[in-house]
Amino acid sequence: MPNKPNKQQMIAVLIKDIQCDIVDYRQLYQLMQQQHQCYLKFDGELLSRLTEQQLPLLKQLTQRSQLRTKQLHKLGLPINNQSMNKLIHALPNAIQSKLQQQWHTLETLVKQCHKLNQRNGVLSANFSELLNQVYAQMPQQNDNNAYSTPHLMQY
């Protein structure tokens, strides 16, 4: 039976996960910027590929966030916005400064991704509405129409 992790091990995992989140959020932000350009260029094929690339990142980020919440709970900290700051200030000075900077970087990246996601959401809705309008105005000949919705973005 494996040993229960001690507080130092849990904190080490938290620190490592924050570093991993920073890398993943930077990658996610880049993909979302490309996604934004795809909406502007009406590039549906690339949009699909970018979405496929985002999904595993989002899954990892969600899993680490959930683990971080559990770890904070196990460390006896409440689950709120101040918990990480309390933890950071309880650490030795040598670790405190670097972790504070990393946590701030992560918070900034999350906010940037959220803002870009909202902007892309608006473009997605507009994109979808435009496609629906174009499709609705086209004569319905048969299901093999090269300009039908599934095929419209491939040209």
Side-chain angles (χ1 to χ4, degrees):
M1 184 178 230
N3 290 340
K4 185 175 148 182
N6 64 33
K7 286 185 179 187
Q8 286 179 322
Q9 291 169 327
M10 287 191 285
I11 292 169
V13 169
L14 280 169
I15 292 169
K16 177 124 177 79
D17 283 354
I18 289 169
Q19 293 166 348
C20 291
D21 277 359
I22 289 170
V23 171
D24 286 351
Y25 267 106
R26 283 183 174 146
Q27 185 179 355
L28 179 63
Y29 187 79
Q30 293 299 318
L31 291 171
M32 291 172 74
Q33 283 183 316
Q34 291 174 25
Q35 186 180 38
H36 181 80
Q37 292 303 311
C38 288
Y39 283 121
L40 297 176
K41 295 177 183 177
F42 298 99
D43 189 343
E45 187 176 314
L46 183 55
L47 261 173
S48 294
R49 287 196 311 263
L50 290 170
T51 300
E52 288 174 17
Q53 291 174 22
Q54 289 175 10
L55 293 176
L57 279 174
L58 292 169
K59 182 178 178 182
Q60 265 308 111
L61 289 164
T62 299
Q63 287 174 345
R64 282 195 297 263
S65 175
Q66 291 169 345
L67 178 62
R68 188 167 31 252
T69 299
K70 288 177 184 176
Q71 298 283 39
L72 288 170
H73 181 71
K74 286 179 183 178
L75 290 168
L77 292 165
I79 308 306
N80 60 35
N81 293 338
Q82 305 307 316
S83 293
M84 275 305 292
N85 288 327
K86 287 179 185 178
L87 175 63
I88 290 167
H89 292 311
L91 295 173
N93 289 338
I95 300 171
Q96 202 176 93
S97 177
K98 184 175 181 180
L99 185 56
Q100 182 69 46
Q101 182 181 20
Q102 290 173 339
W103 183 247
H104 177 71
T105 298
L106 180 57
E107 287 179 316
T108 301
L109 286 167
V110 169
K111 288 175 186 174
Q112 289 173 342
C113 284
H114 180 72
K115 185 176 179 180
L116 187 52
N117 187 53
Q118 288 181 319
R119 189 171 70 176
N120 283 352
V122 169
L123 285 176
S124 176
N126 292 341
F127 182 76
S128 181
E129 185 178 322
L130 179 63
L131 285 178
N132 287 335
Q133 288 175 1
V134 168
Y135 185 65
Q137 292 176 4
M138 293 182 350
Q140 299 297 317
Q141 295 174 358
N142 62 37
D143 290 338
N144 295 326
N145 187 344
Y147 294 104
S148 65
T149 301
H151 304 286
L152 187 59
M153 297 306 298
Q154 294 178 3
Y155 297 99

